[in-house]
Amino acid sequence: MNFLAPIGRTFLNFLASTGHLAYFTSRSVSHCFRRPLYFGAILRQMVDIGYYSLPVVGLTALFTGMVLALQSHSGFSRFDAESAIPTVVVLSITRELGPVMAGLMVAGRIGAAIAAELGTMRVTEQIDALTTLSTNPYKYLIVPRLLAGTLTLPLLVLVADIVGVFGGFLVCVYRLKFNAANFISQSWQYLEWRDVSSGLWKAAAFGFIVALMGCYNGFNSKGGAQGVGAATTNAVVSASIMILITNYLLTGILFAGK
Amino acid sequence: MLENSPPKIELTAVTKSFGEKEVLRGIDLKIGKAESVVVIGGSGTGKSVLLKSILSIMQPESGSIKIDGEETIGLSGQKRDVHLNKFGMLFQGAALFDSLPVWQNVAFKLLRAHQVPRKEAKDRAMATLASVGLSADVGELFPAELSGGMQKRVGLARAIAARPEIIFFDEPTTGLDPIMADVINELIVKCVRELGATTLSITHDMASARKIADRIAMLHEGHIIWEGPKSDVDHSGNPYVDQFIHGRADGPIKMQVRKI
Ligand SMILES: Nc1ncnc2c1ncn2[C@@H]1O[C@H](COP(=O)(O)OP(=O)(O)OP(=O)(O)O)[C@@H](O)[C@H]1O
Ligand SMILES: [Mg+2]
């Protein structure tokens, strides 16, 4: 029966780390609703997460929109459905690709940076030092990152939506020779507010996940430079996987019945 | 110290282990108000762990740690904040915040916990930096731009800037030249005398221990194996203490090294 032991051990480890993460999450979130809040730190994180991610996210969205237009054209022209291309581009970007692409890019950029920064602070005892200076590390380090992640990603996705659709527009008008006015009117025609808003809800969830996994892995890292490296990798990988799973679940919830 | 007032710090049977490894195996230690105690002991005997346990950065498995007669193990929330507010600590590796300039490191507690206005906090930080022998232009640098010894002094300034009641010094003089080491020793003595602070220091440097200690305690294999006034350390009659203060390789303390 010995071969069952590793399976059991893995399962128990999984339960233990799930519990650990759940405890960390509830503790961090509860601090988000209790004073004092360090608004300066929150603002600085918002600039870091939002503003400095604009180039990466914008570029990703632009090319995604362009490819989408190109691909749907080559597919839809087989059954003369070219007129559906603007709608396809707009709906795919706002509902799915905008939030997911932005979430994954931010996971790579911000999740890694948070994990590396907090991990280094942990192994050089800076987090212990905070405690001895009467400053709660959850309040000073984690709350600003969680709030900034949750609040800024929707803004970032709004920009990504606009840039992505613009990418589709560029390809359709300059390469596929669509009429520009037609593109715009068609893309508006079937667009509903909830296509956009669902993407923004998703973005908020993804922003929370990225910041949370960065903080959790960094805050609990141990063992010097190697530990910080492992924490960084784990933060990016786990955030990306959780984004994809959450995306599926949220799509199910937000579009239930339709 | 009044005879009937509780000791400032009182440890009873404190134990702490990491997995299989028992680091503290029942520590008993009393430190009176405004007293300066130095803990000596070999590398890796758990001196830093002892300090962190008292600060409740690490949770001991059993035993009791009382500050001003109040149990501190298991404190949380507001009570823990009040407890921590009494302390200042110099970390062994300085542990400066590398995202903040030096003066903000020193003024950290003043700015955040004590809500001192920025201008005044900066002046006080600069004055504290001057007392550890660092000039005002160092205050504008970032910790990464300082030498190891300078970082240590900034850590020291940060520990004392908010004038805490209890100050812990984890190896305050390692990495400093002998003259600066003596300046720091004087400074620690001055802290005790002027602030009336209770201090607990860790050091390997016997010259420093003799200078700053009222009492010396030796930690070995998880126990305090000797403690007494510093004048007794030279004739303690304890072979472990004798070996340590004379720095001899042979004696009852065996280093875990293989002969080449
Ligand atoms: N976070 C930790 N996790 C696991 N083991 C630890 C941890 N911190 C300390 N230890 C172990 O506890 C023991 C005591 O460590 P500590 O840092 O207190 O030594 P020390 O007496 O301060 O030594 P030094 O004089 O070299 O600073 C060491 O053997 C170390 O391996
Ligand atoms: Mg140590």
Side-chain angles (χ1 to χ4, degrees), chain B residues 23 44 95 114 125 135 164 166 210 216 220 235:
Chain B
V23 178
H114 297 193
S135 61
I166 306 172
R210 283 175 218 274
I216 294 181
H220 183 65
H235 36 87

Side-chain angles (χ1 to χ4, degrees), chain B residues 18 21 23 41-50 52 58 92 170-171 202 204 219:
Chain B
F18 295 100
K21 186 170 189 170
V23 178
S43 201
T45 46
K47 303 183 297 298
S48 299
V49 170
L50 178 67
K52 288 181 194 167
M58 287 180 173
Q92 192 169 354
D170 198 342
E171 309 202 0
I202 290 173
H204 293 147
L219 184 63

Side-chain angles (χ1 to χ4, degrees), chain B residues 26-29 39-42 45 216-228 236-244 252-253:
Chain B
I27 302 282
D28 298 302
L29 188 65
V39 173
I40 56 174
T45 46
I216 294 181
M218 173 144 178
L219 184 63
H220 183 65
E221 295 194 331
H223 298 280
I224 302 280
I225 54 162
W226 183 83
E227 65 173 299
S236 61
N238 185 312
Y240 293 90
V241 176
D242 274 344
Q243 186 193 349
F244 190 86
I253 307 172

